[in-house]
Amino acid sequence: MKEYKNLFYELLYPNVCPFCGSLVREGMCGKCEEKVVYVQEPYCKKCGKPVRTEEQEYCFDCGKNRHYFTEGRALFLHKSPVSEAVYAMKYQNRRVYGQFFGRELAEKYNGFMEKRGVELIIPIPLHKSKKRLRGYNQSQIVAGELAKRTGISMDMTKLARRKKTKPQKSLDDRQRKANISGAFSLKGELGGKKNILLVDDIYTTGSTLDEAARVLLNGGAENVYFLTISIGQGY
């Protein structure tokens, strides 16, 4: 009976490649697997952006700015076809793409999380008005799949977004920091958890993750790491 239910579900909701929409058994299609660019070394020791040489320890941004987060990594460079897939996940109700990205993050960065003793996964929250309009938080979907695959608990309530902000993509670095300042608050305590992992969709300058990390550090965390689906170049 269970096999028939699974078959019915697959027929009703077939797996598709998140990058081109073609039917696949799981994951992405072979053509898109050749197109997407996974983040590889050398990369910034702080945020994980690709850099030009192994001798370059930090990207341009991390070389000049102080960050509250301890360290972070991303799956892909934020370029086509990844950028379109992330957009579709966020704005076109392609929630299933979030599960794919969560699985990919777990496969690539499970060791990263284990070595750093991550005890709790927290998705970057949306403001309640934006979540109500969209109907879901894409980072929560990614984080939920990551938590399921790694066995690390996820919490969706500790970090709250209390300030409605402008879209960060339309702002410069200074404006991003001002826009996101005071946007988050901690509800309750972290329950003794010291090593926290934040999950977001895109890393650009790190302003959002920085502000969330600052709140968590003030709330008792010792280290705040992050994972994102995509990231820009660090040159």
Side-chain angles (χ1 to χ4, degrees):
M1 181 64 71
K2 185 177 180 180
E3 292 180 358
Y4 285 113
K5 286 184 178 179
N6 290 339
L7 180 60
F8 175 76
Y9 186 84
E10 289 177 6
L11 291 172
L12 191 61
Y13 303 103
N15 289 319
V16 296
C17 172
F19 303 115
C20 69
S22 61
L23 292 174
V24 291
R25 190 167 187 84
E26 61 180 358
M28 69 182 100
C29 72
K31 289 184 179 180
C32 288
E33 194 167 4
E34 295 177 357
K35 292 180 182 178
V36 298
V37 182
Y38 284 90
V39 175
Q40 303 288 346
E41 295 187 281
Y43 46 67
C44 175
K45 291 183 177 180
K46 191 71 173 178
C47 73
K49 281 185 179 179
V51 293
R52 291 189 187 279
T53 66
E54 293 182 1
E55 291 73 29
Q56 186 179 348
E57 292 188 354
Y58 300 104
C59 69
F60 179 77
D61 287 334
C62 292
K64 68 174 184 175
N65 296 315
R66 176 200 173 195
H67 290 297
Y68 287 98
F69 60 76
T70 305
E71 190 182 6
R73 297 288 183 268
L75 267 178
F76 306 107
L77 286 186
H78 192 68
K79 56 190 296 186
S80 184
V82 174
S83 53
E84 291 89 346
V86 173
Y87 182 90
M89 177 187 68
K90 293 176 68 171
Y91 303 115
Q92 297 175 353
N93 203 23
R94 300 294 196 274
R95 307 185 197 194
V96 69
Y97 292 1
Q99 296 174 354
F100 164 78
F101 290 131
R103 291 196 301 270
E104 288 286 297
L105 283 170
E107 184 175 333
K108 185 168 184 179
Y109 290 118
N110 186 43
F112 172 89
M113 297 167 68
E114 286 182 350
K115 288 180 180 178
R116 287 149 185 81
V118 170
E119 303 165 276
L120 186 66
I121 297 172
I122 297 179
I124 291 292
L126 292 177
H127 188 268
K128 59 183 179 182
S129 62
K130 183 175 287 186
K131 186 175 181 180
R132 184 166 56 248
L133 181 65
R134 189 175 298 174
Y136 60 96
N137 177 359
Q138 71 281 353
S139 295
Q140 182 180 321
I141 296 172
V142 177
E145 189 67 24
L146 179 63
K148 184 173 74 173
R149 298 275 170 168
T150 60
I152 300 172
S153 298
M154 178 182 71
D155 191 284
M156 302 172 292
T157 62
K158 289 286 188 293
L159 192 65
R161 195 157 192 152
R162 64 184 184 183
K163 176 182 172 183
K164 190 175 181 180
T165 56
K166 299 176 182 178
Q168 291 282 81
K169 62 183 179 180
S170 63
L171 308 174
D172 61 28
D173 192 21
R174 181 185 59 80
Q175 292 171 327
R176 286 170 186 259
K177 291 178 181 178
N179 183 49
I180 204 68
S181 178
F184 302 108
S185 63
L186 194 62
K187 298 173 68 175
E189 299 179 350
L190 292 173
K193 301 292 192 299
K194 298 298 183 182
N195 298 312
I196 313 296
L197 180 86
L198 291 168
V199 174
D200 204 3
D201 46 27
I202 306 167
Y203 183 101
T204 307
T205 63
S207 299
T208 300
L209 289 158
D210 253 339
E211 181 62 16
R214 185 187 66 79
V215 171
L216 291 170
L217 291 171
N218 287 341
E222 292 182 358
N223 294 288
V224 179
Y225 304 98
F226 75 81
L227 290 177
T228 62
I229 297 166
S230 62
I231 195 167
Q233 299 278 7
Y235 304 153

